[in-house]
Amino acid sequence: MPAIPCLSLVIGIMIQSDNRSIDLILPCYNPHEGWQELVVCQYKVLEQAWPQIQFHLCIVDDGSQYGFEKPVVDFLVTNIVHIKIIQLSKNHGKGYALREGIAVCSGDMQVYTDYDIPYTLTSMSKVISCLLRGADIVVPSRSKMYDRQLPIFRRCISRLVRWCNHYLFRLPYSDTQAGLKGLGRKGRTVFLNTHIDTYLCDWEFVLKASRISTLRIVTTDIELRKDVQLPNFTWSICWNEFVNCLLMLRYVVLNFLGSVCTVCSNVRTKG
């Protein structure tokens, strides 16, 4: 289905929310020192921008070796009233951690992003605004400025994924890998039916959602905060993502063959 641009206002107090609730879900693995203070700061800024929304924070510790010591957890719990911290016993990957978090959250809508909440308040507000206006899924698109902030290797991978989205998968959304998504109740169901455990969970999610014609999927531009520095991918991560790319291609081929078989079966039946 075609992408629908979200043109709504981004100032929270100008949109009626009817006291709805939003779960902010942050998957986290081996966070840097002092991360908890950044999370509390960014979370409170979001709360102040949208006073009519009840936010709930859900942090999923994806088997971290450090960063979740007792003083860190105590700081988070003390400074954020509505918070859940899920601690997994071993590292599985972003997709797995997100499914664990989404499954236990019960808000009207969900927004997920990286643990340091790296996007600007305007970007976060755009996604929330789209959800409040009835979107089932918000698929943000990163700007050229964002692309220039990526390390060279990540930039190459990002461009390869965009090429595949456009030419192989025929998706109306060339950018599926932005680490910020918005989910309504229908979008939540689609995400919980994904299977990829790593970064390409976003790709699988958008691909599956795009095949459901009844979903209202919208897109909006987003920007990183100026102080954010993005790390490069390790070779092991790149290899895992390459394997997942092959699995995604397999999914597309099987889906196509299934459609062909259905058409042929219908032709035989009518004949």
Side-chain angles (χ1 to χ4, degrees), residues 81-249:
V81 177
H82 303 289
I83 185 172
K84 293 179 183 176
I85 299 178
I86 302 170
Q87 294 187 280
L88 305 179
S89 59
K90 66 176 184 177
N91 177 243
H92 294 274
K94 175 183 175 180
Y96 187 98
L98 280 172
R99 285 191 293 274
E100 290 292 305
I102 292 171
V104 302
C105 289
S106 57
D108 298 310
M109 295 156 279
Q110 280 84 40
V111 173
Y112 71 76
T113 187
D114 301 324
Y115 77 86
D116 53 348
I117 314 179
Y119 297 94
T120 63
L121 174 61
T122 298
S123 299
M124 299 289 290
S125 293
K126 284 181 178 181
V127 173
I128 293 170
S129 174
C130 290
L131 290 172
L132 292 176
R133 291 179 180 272
D136 295 312
I137 297 172
V138 185
V139 181
S141 178
R142 296 168 292 185
S143 66
K144 291 182 179 179
M145 179 64 71
Y146 182 106
D147 201 47
R148 287 195 289 268
Q149 287 178 263
L150 289 172
I152 183 65
F153 199 46
R154 285 188 65 171
R155 192 183 311 162
C156 291
I157 292 175
S158 177
R159 289 177 179 176
L160 174 62
V161 170
R162 290 185 188 222
W163 185 90
C164 290
N165 286 340
H166 184 73
Y167 292 103
L168 293 182
F169 299 137
R170 302 293 180 180
L171 285 173
Y173 324 98
S174 62
D175 188 8
T176 58
Q177 294 309 106
L180 174 62
K181 298 287 189 298
L183 315 176
R185 292 193 181 278
K186 293 180 181 178
R188 177 180 185 272
T189 299
V190 176
F191 198 98
L192 289 176
N193 281 286
T194 60
H195 301 285
I196 289 178
D197 289 342
T198 55
Y199 288 102
L200 285 182
C201 62
D202 290 298
W203 200 1
E204 180 188 15
F205 170 53
V206 176
L207 181 60
K208 287 192 171 186
S210 68
R211 301 294 190 260
I212 303 174
S213 60
T214 56
L215 290 178
R216 183 168 185 261
I217 305 175
V218 303
T219 184
T220 187
D221 295 330
I222 57 172
E223 298 277 357
L224 284 174
R225 299 196 324 270
K226 291 183 179 180
D227 60 312
V228 172
Q229 296 292 323
L230 296 172
N232 220 332
F233 284 152
T234 64
W235 283 107
S236 61
I237 289 176
C238 291
W239 172 253
N240 288 336
E241 300 306 334
F242 174 72
V243 171
N244 283 323
C245 282
L246 295 180
L247 292 175
M248 290 295 292
L249 287 171

Side-chain angles (χ1 to χ4, degrees), residues 9-22 46-55 108-109 128-129 132:
L9 295 171
V10 300
I11 305 300
I13 58 175
M14 297 186 71
I15 297 178
Q16 295 298 318
S17 70
D18 299 324
N19 295 317
R20 283 180 280 181
S21 60
I22 292 181
L46 193 61
E47 278 190 319
Q48 291 170 6
W50 294 87
Q52 75 277 39
I53 290 177
Q54 179 65 71
F55 285 98
D108 298 310
M109 295 156 279
I128 293 170
S129 174
L132 292 176

Side-chain angles (χ1 to χ4, degrees), residues 26 35-37 39-41 43-44 47 55-59 67-87:
L26 311 179
W35 71 279
Q36 69 277 13
E37 297 174 6
V39 167
V40 169
C41 176
Y43 182 80
K44 289 189 178 297
E47 278 190 319
F55 285 98
H56 296 85
L57 181 63
C58 178
I59 298 175
F68 280 86
E69 295 80 11
K70 188 176 185 302
V72 173
V73 174
D74 288 345
F75 180 84
L76 290 167
V77 172
T78 300
N79 287 278
I80 299 176
V81 177
H82 303 289
I83 185 172
K84 293 179 183 176
I85 299 178
I86 302 170
Q87 294 187 280

